[in-house]
């Protein structure tokens, strides 16, 4: 056996001999040896041969052999076979052929081989390989080969099908060149290709030649990569041809690749359209204080339809670009990691003068030492809510609640829908009609079966009266007024609705093909006056002008199908995700399809088991006041609507996505509310805080409800202090003043309502008699700001405040006039640091739309450097790994929590978030963002279940329990505590030794692709790797009949 170097030398000698040989027998012998070598090995052998000049040797041999006349196919066929085998693995094969001069020789051989399919077929496959280089493909097109290929492509036939397929495949490769595409459009080839595809589809009834169907679609796909091709495709009625063919294919697994390709072509060619709105900016605006540019801006996305349709690809550029760029793709997440040690090391420093920070002393009354009157004093320094209904009156009201009769429920539903007394509902929810509203609300309250814990409709109504909105809403949503109780059952993740996703897309495409079948009837428009409808109108009625409501427009498309458009965040034209609206007028047992057509994120948990939530007034009045998960046939995919950026003259577009789902209502003429997630309004929060305060025992719980500041919209941002009331002894007071602080915030993003349910669980747990709660109150002082963005919540925004900015990107330099809640929260934290009370823990509660489970983001110097593969020697760096304590404890005690989803990396793009700023500038080691899924869990006790409000509240309670680990003096505390949550004390703090730590928090999706892999993310279809060409299989059974050339 020879050495490896000997093999290399022998191969080079063999290739050199082959390249210089003009003798047929010698050439044939060497080809056989090479074929045996390559057949016995793997792809690595082929690549090794390419590295030693194998491609060049074969191409030179082709030139040598084609100069022998007449052609000797005994040597040419094995040669072409090797060229195909090697050429498929050499990305520069086409360029090499052009440089060596093999292109013309191959074309001459093809023409000479006509009309024999046995000889033509390998020539065509070689041309396909040449054309994989766009430059070579353009050169081949200029030689006139495209016309010849069309002559070889015949209508449906059962003869010479492999040669026909090879011709189509070669044409498809040529059409990757825009130059060839333009010539093909000019010559009317798109119409001919559609005719050929239609002929093969209709006459190939047994689907024996699906590879030809797919090859024809690839040709159409490549031509339509240019704007002129799309236009020609639409003019040739290509949408109707492909749609009817795709629908006729059915669900046969063998035909799915063909249907997928046809669907991609149709979706790509569907004309882009703006949303059916006058402007994509929010229909509400808010004039910002002291800001010259705060006037409502003109819409930057008002483009006429013809402008959008004429968005051109850069067609005039030459095609001599080498698209085979093999440079490694940068990992954007790793590039975003902070590697500057000066920024990675926490560097606590005050950003304001100490004198200025003294204003926050009022928010720490627990430090003043006056506890003689520890009761609630709404007129005192707390500045709390001035609302004082009698506790006896509230209790009496609750005691009078009874289960409603069936007749009374029906009567109330009729009243709600306006059938008997059309003014009853508007009066009951009217904020201005106090007397009538309270009377109607009292009548409804008599029907309540049971009390919703810490909720009272009367208190809620009074709180809502004080709430200010930019839209100046005058109605209350029934679920917010009546309250929600988590159902006793848990709701599973839905399965992926496999098999129907394309049906929904086909129905959307059908609108373009058959516009006369579409109603296109506007049934709700927040920009206009209420629409007047006739009594016999069976359309659904929509409404969203209430707190946290969000629905901009509703358009009836078909009898039971509606397109819905969400409103943008105020003073923006972006952030479409949160929806919350009322609908009525439904018929029971009818499937209604809803399409929310202006979603922005490229993927969603709606594709992986998540459902929207619904609240039925009928069910609530029957004693079941539940928000429940609803909907079937739920899909999330890219649509044909887009928004163009005026700054780039319409060249840069933002695509929209459709969330579609179907609901079959249980009751006719019900009133139902639909939402993205369980709503939790600002008025609900204020009601909850008030009732919590009413329920506490001041001798056990020190509770202060104060106002942090007023928001831009004039709403109060509450800050809550919770700890154990101190005793009167000096030692007890000293222990009280020495307690460490824990600061918790939530709802900086208004659409993340799950964060409010989590912090609700935290508040109620800390106020409870649970032994862990008592122990925590004895050890810590909790400062809780449960809603950092009240204005956004009130006005139904998803991410921004009234300033049109994401408040969680303003922590580095918040402005008191534009970001008051962030400015003063940071000020409070800075004040605590300035007096030596730096918080032990800071956690900001959030919601996550594209991941499952509950998890945390934290900050770690070493883990960030490891992930970034930094050259800095981390062994010399010291870091307290206590930041892992709470997540590791939660992983053991909280069923929804997943440690393997946690991340402790510091990214440049997150440097202005609360987590990073509090860690870096305030010096809080345990500074976290806690993310709760909108969806459900894929691990643990709740695996396969969607999270409801009960589970979310449990997360908030378990977070508190996790804090117990930090109480070193309590590690050997009472047996009762250990029994309650023994896992709290079992976690270790060891940092993994390897450098494979947590994934980057820049990742957005932890799900596999959908079962139906349609390309949702690009306009141009994604390029797939071509199937390997097996020339032996392509030539086996080749007919000896001559090819029939198209005379046209």
């Amino acid at each position: 056996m020879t050495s490896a170097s000997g093999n290399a030398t022998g191969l080079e000698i063999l290739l050199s001999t082959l390249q210089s040989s003009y003798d047929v027998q010698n050439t044939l012998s060497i080809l056989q040896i090479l074929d045996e070598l390559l057949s016995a090995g793997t792809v690595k052998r082929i690549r090794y041969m390419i590295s030693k000049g194998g491609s060049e040797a074969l191409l030179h041999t082709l030139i040598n052999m084609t100069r022998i006349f007449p052609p000797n196919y005994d040597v040419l066929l094995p040669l072409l076979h090797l060229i195909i085998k090697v050429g498929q693995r050499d990305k520069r094969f086409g360029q090499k052929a052009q440089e060596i001069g093999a292109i013309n020789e191959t074309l001459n051989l093809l023409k000479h081989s006509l009309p024999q399919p046995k000889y033509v077929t390998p020539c065509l496959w070689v041309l396909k390989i040449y054309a994989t280089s766009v430059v070579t493909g353009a050169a081949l097109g200029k030689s006139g080969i495209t016309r010849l290929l069309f002559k070889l492509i015949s209508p449906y036939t059962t003869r010479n099908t492999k040669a026909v397929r090879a011709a189509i495949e070669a044409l498809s490769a040529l059409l990757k060149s825009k130059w060839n595409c333009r010539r093909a459009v000019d010559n009317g080839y798109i119409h001919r290709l559609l005719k050929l595809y239609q002929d093969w589809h209709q006459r190939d009834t047994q689907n024996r030649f699906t590879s030809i169907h797919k090859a024809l679609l690839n040709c159409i796909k490549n031509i339509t990569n240019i704007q002129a091709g799309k236009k020609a495709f639409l003019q040739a009625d290509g949408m109707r041809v492909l749609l009817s063919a795709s629908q006729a294919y059915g669900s046969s697994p063998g035909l799915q690749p063909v249907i997928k390709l046809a669907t991609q072509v149709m979706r790509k060619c569907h004309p882009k359209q703006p949303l059916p709105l006058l402007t994509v900016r929010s229909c509400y605006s808010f004039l910002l204080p002291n800001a010259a540019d705060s006037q409502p801006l003109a819409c930057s996305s008002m483009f006429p339809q013809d402008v959008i349709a004429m968005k051109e690809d850069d067609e005039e550029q030459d095609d001599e670009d080498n698209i085979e760029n093999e440079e490694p793709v940068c990992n954007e997440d790793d590039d975003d990691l902070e590697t500057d040690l000066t920024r990675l090391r926490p560097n606590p420093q005050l950003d304001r003068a100490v004198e200025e920070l003294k204003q926050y002393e009022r928010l720490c009354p627990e430090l003043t030492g006056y506890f003689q009157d520890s009761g609630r004093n709404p007129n005192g320094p707390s500045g709390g809510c001035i609302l004082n209904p009698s506790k006896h009156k509230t209790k009496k009201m609750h005691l009078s609640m009874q289960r409603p009769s069936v007749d009374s429920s029906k009567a109330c539903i009729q009243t709600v829908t306006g059938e008997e007394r059309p003014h009853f509902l508007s009066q009951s929810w009217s904020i201005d009609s106090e007397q009538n509203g309270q009377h109607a609300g009292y009548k409804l309250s008599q029907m309540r079966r049971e009390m919703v814990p810490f909720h009272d409709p009367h208190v809620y109504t009074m709180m809502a009266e004080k709430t200010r909105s930019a839209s100046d809403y005058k109605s209350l949503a029934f679920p917010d007024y009546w309250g929600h109780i988590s159902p006793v059952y848990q709701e599973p993740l839905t399965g992926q609705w496999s098999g129907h996703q394309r049906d929904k897309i086909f129905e959307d495409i059908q609108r373009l093909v058959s516009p006369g079948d579409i109603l296109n009837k506007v049934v709700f428009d927040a920009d206009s006056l209420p629409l007047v409808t006739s009594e016999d109108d069976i359309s659904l009625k929509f409404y969203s002008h209430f707190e946290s409501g969000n629905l901009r427009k509703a358009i009836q498309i078909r009898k039971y199908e509606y397109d819905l458009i969400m409103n943008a965040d105020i003073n923006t034209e972006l952030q479409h995700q949160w929806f919350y609206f009322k609908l009525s007028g439904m018929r029971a047992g009818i499937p209604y399809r809803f399409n929310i057509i202006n979603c922005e994120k490229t993927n969603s948990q709606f594709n992986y088991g998540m459902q929207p939530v619904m609240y039925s007034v009928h069910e609530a009045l029957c004693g079941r006041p539940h928000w429940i998960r609803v909907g079937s046939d739920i899909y999330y995919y890219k649509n044909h609507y887009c928004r163009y950026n005026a700054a780039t003259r319409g060249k840069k577009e933002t695509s929209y996505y459709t969330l579609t789902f179907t609901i079959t209502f249980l009751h006719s003429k019900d009133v139902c509310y639909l939402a993205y997630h369980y709503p939790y309004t600002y008025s609900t929060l204020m009601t909850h805080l008030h009732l919590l305060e009413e329920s506490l025992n001041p001798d056990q719980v020190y509770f202060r409800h104060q106002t942090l500041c007023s928001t831009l919209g004039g709403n109060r941002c509450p800050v809550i202090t919770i700890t154990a009331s101190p005793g009167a002894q000096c030692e007890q007071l000293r222990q009280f003043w020495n307690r460490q602080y824990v600061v918790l915030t939530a709802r900086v993003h208004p659409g993340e309502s799950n964060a409010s349910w989590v912090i609700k669980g935290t508040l109620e747990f800390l106020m409870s008699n649970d032994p862990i709660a008592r122990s925590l109150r004895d050890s810590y002082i909790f400062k809780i700001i449960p809603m950092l963005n009240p204005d956004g919540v009130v006005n139904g925004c998803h991410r921004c405040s009234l300033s049109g900015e994401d408040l969680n990107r303003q922590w580095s330099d918040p402005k008191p006039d534009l970001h008051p809640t962030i400015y003063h929260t940071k000020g409070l934290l800075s004040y605590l640091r300035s007096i030596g009370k730096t918080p032990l823990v800071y956690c900001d509660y959030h919601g996550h739309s594209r991941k499952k489970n509950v998890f945390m983001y934290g900050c770690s110097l070493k883990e960030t450097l490891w992930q970034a593969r930094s050259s800095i020697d981390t062994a010399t760096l010291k870091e307290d790994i206590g930041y892992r304590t709470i997540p590791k404890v939660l992983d053991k005690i909280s069923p929804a929590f997943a440690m393997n989803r946690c991340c402790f990396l510091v990214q440049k793009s997150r440097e202005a978030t609360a987590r990073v700023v509090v860690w870096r500038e305030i010096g809080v080691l345990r500074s976290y963002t806690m993310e709760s899924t909108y969806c459900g869990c894929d691990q643990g006790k709740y695996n396969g279940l969607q999270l409801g409000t009960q589970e979310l509240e449990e997360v908030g309670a378990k977070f508190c329990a996790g804090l117990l680990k930090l109480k070193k003096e309590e590690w050997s505390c009472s047996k009762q505590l250990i029994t309650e949550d023994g896992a709290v004390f079992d976690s270790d703090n060891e940092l993994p030794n390897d450098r494979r730590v947590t994934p980057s928090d820049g990742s957005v999706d932890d799900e596999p692709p959908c079962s139906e892999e349609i390309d949702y993310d690009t306009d141009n279809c994604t390029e797939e790797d071509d199937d390997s060409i097996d020339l032996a299989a392509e030539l086996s059974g080749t007919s000896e009949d001559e090819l029939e050339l198209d005379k046209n």
Side-chain angles (χ1 to χ4, degrees):
M1 182 178 289
T2 58
S3 65
S5 60
N7 282 334
T9 303
L11 178 59
E12 290 174 341
I13 293 173
L14 202 61
L15 292 174
S16 177
T17 304
L18 176 66
Q19 181 172 330
S20 60
S21 174
Y22 289 87
D23 182 79
V24 173
Q25 289 303 320
N26 288 341
T27 301
L28 187 57
S29 298
I30 296 173
L31 291 175
Q32 289 173 348
I33 294 171
L34 291 174
D35 186 53
E36 290 177 4
L37 285 172
L38 298 182
S39 299
T42 62
V43 174
K44 288 184 178 180
R45 286 197 179 184
I46 298 176
R47 289 175 178 162
Y48 180 71
M49 178 176 167
I50 293 170
S51 70
K52 296 302 180 182
S55 298
E56 292 85 346
L58 291 174
L59 290 169
H60 279 292
T61 304
L62 178 62
I63 294 173
N64 295 340
M65 292 299 102
T66 53
R67 289 176 180 173
I68 300 175
F69 192 83
N72 188 334
Y73 290 102
D74 291 337
V75 69
L76 284 172
L77 288 180
L79 176 58
L80 293 173
H81 172 79
L82 269 178
I83 287 176
I84 293 170
K85 181 178 287 190
V86 174
Q88 292 178 88
R89 306 295 178 184
D90 188 348
K91 293 185 176 182
R92 296 190 65 251
F93 197 84
Q95 291 173 274
K96 291 176 182 178
Q98 189 175 10
E99 293 166 0
I100 292 172
I103 300 291
N104 291 333
E105 299 298 335
T106 307
L107 291 175
N108 291 334
L109 179 61
L110 171 64
K111 295 173 183 176
H112 191 273
S113 301
L114 290 171
Q116 298 297 323
K118 181 178 181 180
Y119 305 140
V120 169
T121 301
C123 293
L124 292 170
W125 285 114
V126 170
L127 287 177
K128 172 183 169 61
I129 293 173
Y130 289 166
T132 54
S133 165
V134 173
V135 177
T136 307
L140 280 168
K142 294 173 183 178
S143 71
I145 186 63
T146 307
R147 188 183 300 275
L148 174 60
L149 292 177
F150 262 103
K151 290 181 179 294
L152 295 173
I153 301 173
S154 66
Y156 176 77
T157 179
T158 57
R159 299 189 306 167
N160 301 317
T161 54
K162 293 184 177 179
V164 172
R165 182 201 169 191
I168 302 173
E169 293 281 4
L171 178 62
S172 173
L174 287 168
L175 292 174
K176 291 181 180 179
S177 159
K178 289 183 181 179
W179 192 93
N180 290 337
C181 286
R182 287 193 287 269
R183 300 293 77 76
V185 171
D186 293 341
N187 292 327
Y189 288 164
I190 190 74
H191 185 269
R192 291 179 62 184
L193 286 168
L194 285 168
K195 286 290 185 183
L196 286 167
Y197 175 76
Q198 195 172 26
D199 182 70
W200 279 88
H201 164 70
Q202 291 174 348
R203 297 174 64 187
D204 182 18
T205 56
Q206 300 300 316
N207 296 316
R208 293 171 54 199
F209 306 112
T210 55
S211 60
I212 292 180
H213 300 203
K214 187 177 177 182
L216 287 168
L217 285 172
N218 270 316
C219 292
I220 297 171
K221 179 194 78 171
N222 291 337
I223 290 182
T224 53
N225 279 337
I226 64 171
Q227 190 68 27
K230 293 176 185 176
K231 185 177 180 180
F233 175 83
L234 294 172
Q235 290 175 343
D237 206 16
M239 297 290 277
R240 188 184 303 275
V241 171
L242 297 194
L243 179 61
S244 60
S246 299
Q247 291 173 326
Y249 279 130
S251 58
S252 173
L255 295 172
Q256 293 310 301
V258 180
I259 301 174
K260 173 183 175 180
L261 191 52
T263 305
Q264 287 179 331
V265 173
M266 287 187 287
R267 297 184 69 247
K268 176 180 65 173
C269 294
H270 198 298
K272 295 292 182 183
Q273 296 178 1
L275 291 169
L277 299 170
L278 292 177
T279 170
V280 295
R281 287 187 69 82
S282 172
C283 56
Y284 307 120
S285 61
F286 183 83
L287 191 63
L288 300 180
N290 304 322
D293 58 348
S294 64
Q295 293 287 347
L297 301 177
C299 174
S300 62
S301 302
M302 293 176 61
F303 288 90
Q305 184 61 38
D306 57 344
V307 174
I308 291 182
M310 290 305 294
K311 175 184 163 303
E312 295 287 343
D313 294 335
D314 191 6
E315 297 181 16
E316 300 305 320
Q317 289 186 353
D318 294 332
D319 290 301
E320 285 72 28
D321 298 323
N322 184 3
I323 63 171
E324 295 87 9
N325 185 353
E326 299 183 56
E327 293 184 8
V329 179
C330 294
N331 187 324
E332 294 183 4
D333 290 343
D334 288 352
D335 286 349
D336 189 33
L337 295 176
E338 184 61 74
T339 56
D340 184 350
L341 274 181
T342 59
R343 299 191 63 77
L344 270 177
R345 294 181 189 274
N347 183 26
Q349 54 184 346
L350 300 179
D351 64 348
R352 305 173 209 178
V354 174
E355 290 299 319
E356 182 182 349
L357 292 176
K358 287 184 178 180
Q359 64 177 304
Y360 301 105
E361 183 178 345
R362 69 177 181 84
L363 298 178
C364 299
E366 66 276 5
L367 299 179
T368 61
Y370 295 101
F371 302 104
Q372 289 82 358
D373 180 15
S374 58
R376 294 164 298 284
N377 180 12
N379 296 316
S382 68
C385 164
I386 306 174
L387 187 75
N388 206 12
S390 168
K391 283 193 281 187
H392 302 290
K393 177 181 177 181
T394 302
K395 290 180 180 178
K396 181 179 179 181
M397 182 194 71
H398 291 322
L399 290 173
S400 67
M401 297 174 187
Q402 304 177 27
R403 182 180 178 87
S405 66
V406 174
D407 292 338
S408 64
S409 295
K410 289 183 177 179
C412 194
I413 286 289
Q414 290 174 342
T415 301
V416 168
T417 56
E419 297 229 339
E420 288 189 355
R421 295 168 60 188
H423 297 294
F424 181 78
L425 181 64
S426 61
Q427 289 174 347
S428 15
W429 309 138
S430 172
I431 296 177
D432 293 334
S433 305
E434 182 176 346
Q435 183 176 358
N436 291 335
Q438 289 183 350
H439 177 66
Y442 180 78
K443 289 179 64 177
L444 283 173
S445 70
Q446 304 309 303
M447 301 176 60
R448 297 185 68 184
R449 177 185 178 185
E450 57 183 315
M451 180 182 70
V452 177
F454 296 109
H455 184 80
D456 185 291
H458 294 316
V459 176
Y460 183 88
T461 302
M462 288 185 281
M463 292 295 182
E465 288 176 354
K466 300 176 182 295
T467 300
R468 299 182 182 181
S469 68
S471 59
D472 194 26
Y473 68 84
K474 297 295 182 182
S475 300
L476 304 183
F478 186 86
D480 305 323
Y481 170 85
W482 198 250
H484 157 77
I485 298 177
S486 181
V488 295
Y489 53 88
Q490 292 180 304
E491 296 170 291
L493 295 169
T494 64
Q496 293 185 9
W497 307 95
S498 179
H500 299 287
Q501 194 170 45
R502 287 193 183 92
D503 294 341
K504 301 296 182 183
I505 295 173
F506 289 166
E507 288 178 18
D508 293 348
I509 295 173
Q510 189 71 45
R511 302 187 195 184
L512 180 69
V513 174
S514 304
D517 298 338
I518 304 304
L519 298 176
N520 207 31
K521 174 185 174 183
V522 177
V523 295
F524 172 77
D525 190 346
D527 293 316
S528 305
L529 295 174
L531 302 174
V532 179
T533 58
S534 60
E535 293 183 0
D536 57 351
D537 188 356
I538 62 172
S539 302
L540 292 177
K541 311 299 188 297
F542 295 83
Y543 187 75
S544 64
H545 197 51
F546 47 79
E547 185 174 353
S548 294
N550 188 315
L551 180 66
R552 175 78 171 270
K553 196 170 188 178
I555 304 170
Q556 187 175 12
I557 300 301
R558 299 180 178 94
K559 188 174 182 180
Y560 301 115
E561 180 179 356
Y562 295 83
D563 278 359
L564 308 178
I565 302 175
M566 297 176 286
N567 191 27
D569 285 4
I570 290 180
N571 283 340
T572 79
E573 55 188 33
L574 300 170
Q575 309 301 344
H576 303 94
Q577 182 166 309
W578 172 259
F579 58 86
Y580 180 21
F581 57 87
K582 181 183 81 171
L583 53 88
S584 58
M586 66 283 292
R587 295 168 57 186
I590 300 295
Y592 288 86
R593 177 183 173 186
F594 301 95
N595 310 307
I596 300 178
I597 63 174
N598 64 331
C599 303
E600 290 178 340
K601 293 190 175 180
T602 57
N603 204 351
S604 168
Q605 282 293 317
F606 282 115
N607 273 336
Y608 309 108
M610 178 177 164
Q611 296 172 286
V613 296
M614 186 180 79
Y615 190 106
S616 164
V617 172
H618 185 285
E619 289 291 302
L621 295 178
C622 289
R624 296 179 290 275
H626 309 313
W627 280 104
I628 59 172
R629 304 273 189 168
V630 295
S632 60
D633 289 344
I634 302 173
Y635 305 108
Y636 189 94
Y637 56 87
K638 187 177 179 182
N639 58 40
H640 61 276
Y641 292 106
C642 63
R643 176 178 57 84
Y644 286 92
N645 190 339
T648 60
R649 293 187 152 185
K651 290 183 179 180
K652 185 176 181 180
E653 67 182 44
T654 298
S655 297
Y656 290 112
Y657 293 76
T658 291
L659 165 63
T660 182
F661 54 89
T662 299
I663 296 178
T664 303
F665 298 96
L666 295 177
H667 311 289
S668 293
K669 299 180 181 179
D670 194 359
V671 176
C672 293
Y673 292 78
L674 283 175
Y676 181 85
H677 195 66
Y678 304 100
Y680 193 98
T681 66
Y682 171 73
S683 298
T684 298
L685 170 67
M686 301 304 284
T687 301
H688 183 231
L689 295 177
H690 175 77
L691 295 177
L692 271 179
E693 192 171 6
E694 290 285 327
S695 70
L696 65 85
N697 180 351
D699 295 331
Q700 296 181 359
V701 181
Y702 179 92
F703 181 97
R704 285 293 182 273
H705 174 187
Q706 300 171 275
T707 298
L708 175 71
C709 62
S710 290
T711 65
L712 288 177
N715 295 299
R716 292 173 296 179
C717 180
V719 56
I720 307 300
T721 304
I722 298 176
T723 189
S725 295
Q729 302 298 322
C730 293
E731 186 64 29
Q732 292 173 324
L733 289 175
R734 187 177 299 108
Q735 187 275 340
F736 179 86
W737 290 325
N738 288 334
R739 292 174 189 173
Q740 292 180 293
Y741 278 84
V742 174
V743 179
L744 308 176
T745 58
R747 208 68 185 277
V748 69
H749 295 145
E752 295 171 4
S753 59
N754 41 2
S756 282
W757 290 102
V758 175
I759 204 119
K760 178 178 184 287
T762 293
L763 286 164
E764 291 181 8
F765 180 81
L766 290 175
M767 298 281 287
S768 72
N769 289 323
D770 187 284
I772 294 180
R774 291 200 302 267
S775 177
L776 291 173
R777 292 196 301 266
D778 287 338
S779 301
Y780 302 123
I781 298 174
F782 290 87
K783 290 289 183 184
I784 302 175
I785 304 173
M787 193 170 285
L788 280 171
N789 193 348
D791 291 340
V793 173
V794 169
N795 292 288
C797 299
H798 168 61
R799 196 168 184 87
C800 299
S801 68
L802 292 183
S803 67
E805 297 170 292
D806 181 347
L807 291 182
N808 202 36
R809 296 296 186 273
Q810 312 303 323
W811 278 79
S812 291
D813 185 25
K815 303 295 189 296
D817 54 342
L818 294 179
H819 325 116
T821 60
I822 305 302
Y823 180 83
H824 292 294
T825 301
K826 186 177 181 182
L828 173 59
L829 289 164
S830 298
Y831 171 72
L832 291 175
R833 173 167 182 79
S834 71
I835 62 173
K837 295 284 187 179
T838 301
L840 178 68
V841 175
Y842 171 79
C843 190
D844 191 20
Y845 292 5
H846 282 253
H848 207 292
S849 66
R850 288 191 277 192
K851 288 187 178 182
K852 290 184 172 69
N853 309 307
V854 178
F855 52 94
M856 278 182 159
Y857 294 141
C859 301
S860 167
L861 182 154
K862 285 191 174 183
E863 293 193 38
T864 303
L865 294 176
W866 290 349
Q867 183 72 29
R869 298 175 178 84
S870 172
S871 59
I872 298 174
D873 182 10
T874 56
T876 62
L877 300 176
K878 293 183 179 181
E879 182 175 37
D880 185 343
I881 58 173
Y883 62 86
R884 280 182 163 263
T885 302
I886 294 176
K888 294 188 75 170
V889 171
L890 290 178
D891 191 50
K892 294 189 175 185
I893 67 173
S894 178
F897 196 87
M899 182 68 184
N900 60 1
R901 294 287 194 271
C902 294
C903 176
F904 304 97
L905 307 181
V906 180
Q907 293 177 291
K908 300 171 187 175
S909 60
R910 305 293 193 272
E911 65 180 3
T913 61
R915 165 178 61 98
V916 178
V917 170
V918 173
W919 171 73
R920 179 182 289 161
E921 298 184 23
I922 308 298
V924 178
L925 170 69
R926 300 172 183 87
S927 179
Y928 306 107
T929 297
M930 185 163 71
E931 299 275 3
S932 300
T933 180
Y934 289 104
C935 184
C937 295
D938 58 10
Q939 53 85 46
K941 175 183 174 181
Y942 298 143
N943 185 19
L945 298 175
Q946 298 184 80
L947 294 188
T949 56
Q950 181 175 336
E951 290 74 33
L952 291 170
E953 291 181 45
E954 179 190 61
V955 170
K958 292 296 183 182
F959 175 83
C960 296
L963 295 174
L964 205 62
K965 174 69 173 178
L966 303 180
K967 291 181 55 181
K968 294 184 179 180
E969 67 276 12
E970 294 289 342
W971 286 6
S972 56
C973 63
S974 71
K975 292 182 179 179
Q976 183 181 15
L977 279 179
I978 297 176
T979 303
E980 289 281 339
D981 255 317
V984 171
F985 304 99
D986 296 335
S987 64
D988 56 59
N989 274 336
E990 293 180 4
L991 193 63
N993 292 325
D994 59 27
R995 295 192 171 206
R996 294 173 296 171
V997 287
T998 51
S1000 167
D1001 62 349
S1003 61
V1004 294
D1005 196 0
D1006 62 345
E1007 293 290 348
C1010 295
S1011 56
E1012 296 180 78
E1013 295 183 16
I1014 298 175
D1015 175 22
Y1016 299 113
D1017 297 327
T1018 58
D1019 291 326
N1020 295 331
C1021 303
T1022 52
E1023 294 294 337
E1024 299 180 356
D1025 294 335
D1026 292 327
D1027 297 330
S1028 297
I1029 304 166
D1030 185 351
L1031 187 59
E1034 293 298 329
L1035 294 180
S1036 63
T1038 301
S1039 172
E1040 296 296 331
D1041 297 331
E1042 294 184 353
L1043 285 167
E1044 297 179 3
L1045 300 182
D1046 193 337
K1047 304 300 183 182
N1048 296 327

